[in-house]
Amino acid sequence: MADQPQIYELNNGTVVVKITNYGCTITSLSVPDKNGKLADVVLGFDTVEPYVKGASPYFGCIVGRVANRIKNGKFTLNGTGYSLPINKPPNSLHGGFKGFDKRIWEVAEYKKGDKPSITFKYRSSDGEEGYPGDVSVTATYTLTSSMTMKLDMEAVPENKATPINLAQHTYWNLAGHNSGNILDHTIQIWASEMTPVDENTVPTGEIKPVKGTPFDFTAEKKVGLQVHEVGLGYDHNYVLGGGEEKLGLKRAAKLKDPSSSRVLNLWTNAPGMQFYTGNYVNGVVGKGGAVYNKHAGLCLETQGFPNAINQPNFPSVVVHPSSKYQHTMLFEFSVE
């Protein structure tokens, strides 16, 4: 068991991924462009130190116990009220001050070969960051084929019902992490509805059609086309559906960088996806001295809906001790 943060590599000869057991964090992911040239397409740091020191705005990590915002850091479950740390006033964000992204996970299995994989394990204790019950969590990253990565996240509550909502928070820039902003990328999102937010980025509870709004990505569209019409940028939960399915997963998004022709197709079994355009990234010095500013990367965080624990009309994120939370993401890279 590694009790120190380390960086591990998955390499199948085409794609190279570096992942640390600190927060289950992808620190680097290199994929070829139309000419076979590799570039690292995720924002991050060269070493584990900046992550450990808190310099990372959730680059590449798995967030939990509950991803996204919980309104006022409060919820009631089975008649008991819970108060969570207010780490993003006035709300609790991504599991609190020391969420799953700031924990050292145990390396349970590490396999080389043509389908390399690594499995991380973490046990979240009762009362940790205000949440009820002990929860055993595993996350497995696998290079399932030459240009495909799969992430399987599982969590089992051991003794109490608890909200669980894990998200993978990688910031993507398919032109390369040090190439500037992502406003020229195109994206298609398989969602005809989204959840509008209040002034503190918490969903109001309504579910609204995207048609005729700047939030409409039902057809491929440039990220920057209407980004200035939505405040600081996109930071919204999309209600996924309407796309094709594969291996029990539904189509979530297709991201493309025109300059390199790199494409990412994302599939998931989660009901929602936070589309976030890196609005709060400001002068972060990353890999190789690259400076990441606003819109340097974008996140495609498949998830349960934000603040679902306080919104009875949203799909429930409560998991009971007799059952298991399962969240799978499939990242398919290509060129076109």
Side-chain angles (χ1 to χ4, degrees):
M1 166 176 171
D3 49 6
Q4 290 297 311
Q6 292 179 40
I7 292 177
Y8 301 85
E9 184 177 281
L10 301 180
N11 184 341
N12 63 4
T14 309
V15 173
V16 185
V17 189
K18 292 179 182 172
I19 309 167
T20 170
N21 56 322
Y22 185 81
C24 266
T25 302
I26 297 172
T27 64
S28 169
L29 195 156
S30 297
V31 292
D33 68 2
K34 57 183 184 253
N35 302 316
K37 183 171 178 288
L38 282 180
D40 181 352
V41 297
V42 304
L43 306 193
F45 302 102
D46 288 311
T47 63
V48 293
E49 278 76 30
Y51 298 97
V52 174
K53 287 183 176 147
S56 172
Y58 300 102
F59 287 159
C61 57
I62 289 180
V63 292
R65 183 178 301 193
V66 175
N68 218 300
R69 290 160 181 84
I70 292 180
K71 188 173 186 173
N72 300 328
K74 289 190 174 0
F75 68 91
T76 301
L77 185 56
N78 296 338
T80 304
Y82 294 92
S83 285
L84 310 173
I86 307 296
N87 61 318
K88 178 88 171 173
N91 305 308
S92 190
L93 175 70
H94 291 331
F97 285 110
K98 196 173 177 185
F100 292 2
D101 64 301
K102 295 176 181 69
R103 306 281 175 173
I104 293 175
W105 296 50
E106 178 188 339
V107 178
E109 193 172 43
Y110 185 26
K111 292 184 191 160
K112 307 276 175 107
D114 62 342
K115 288 190 181 177
S117 69
I118 189 163
T119 298
F120 299 100
K121 256 186 2 190
Y122 177 65
R123 190 164 182 274
S124 178
S125 55
D126 184 21
E128 182 180 298
E129 295 294 305
Y131 288 96
D134 301 299
V135 179
S136 292
V137 190
T138 62
T140 302
Y141 293 94
T142 309
L143 296 182
T144 52
S145 68
S146 68
M147 292 277 277
T148 306
M149 178 177 75
K150 186 161 147 249
L151 170 59
D152 290 295
M153 294 173 272
E154 292 194 350
V156 179
E158 293 173 18
N159 36 40
K160 290 182 190 170
T162 176
I164 300 176
N165 183 17
L166 306 183
Q168 216 298 339
H169 209 295
T170 291
Y171 289 70
W172 302 97
N173 186 326
L174 296 182
H177 75 100
N178 55 354
S179 67
N181 68 52
I182 44 71
L183 298 178
D184 282 339
H185 281 48
T186 61
I187 191 167
Q188 184 171 1
I189 300 174
W190 276 265
S192 57
E193 298 171 315
M194 51 81 75
T195 52
V197 294
D198 66 16
E199 68 280 10
N200 297 310
T201 326
V202 175
T204 59
E206 70 185 304
I207 290 173
K208 198 175 169 188
V210 297
K211 196 175 164 75
T213 75
F215 299 100
D216 189 349
F217 290 95
T218 50
E220 204 169 298
K221 184 173 93 182
K222 198 183 267 201
V223 171
L225 189 65
Q226 294 178 283
V227 74
H228 303 296
E229 297 173 40
V230 291
L232 291 172
Y234 295 98
D235 193 2
H236 297 78
N237 173 64
Y238 281 75
V239 180
L240 297 175
E244 54 199 295
E245 296 207 3
K246 162 163 69 176
L247 305 168
L249 306 177
K250 57 194 167 204
R251 196 123 194 224
K254 177 188 178 181
L255 182 65
K256 183 178 179 182
D257 164 50
S259 65
S260 66
S261 299
R262 286 189 190 90
V263 174
L264 166 59
N265 275 288
L266 175 61
W267 305 72
T268 186
N269 63 346
M273 183 184 79
Q274 193 82 1
F275 174 45
Y276 172 53
T277 47
N279 312 326
Y280 301 105
V281 180
N282 182 10
V284 180
V285 180
K287 287 175 281 195
V291 179
Y292 305 136
N293 285 310
K294 188 177 182 182
H295 306 319
L298 61 78
C299 303
L300 304 169
E301 308 158 57
T302 64
Q303 60 179 6
F305 296 1
N307 197 39
I309 190 69
N310 292 312
Q311 288 292 354
N313 62 316
F314 285 2
S316 174
V317 292
V318 175
V319 186
H320 296 274
S322 56
S323 58
K324 182 193 276 192
Y325 168 93
Q326 286 177 302
H327 180 181
T328 296
M329 303 174 79
L330 193 66
F331 305 88
E332 284 186 326
F333 300 96
S334 57
V335 290
E336 65 174 44

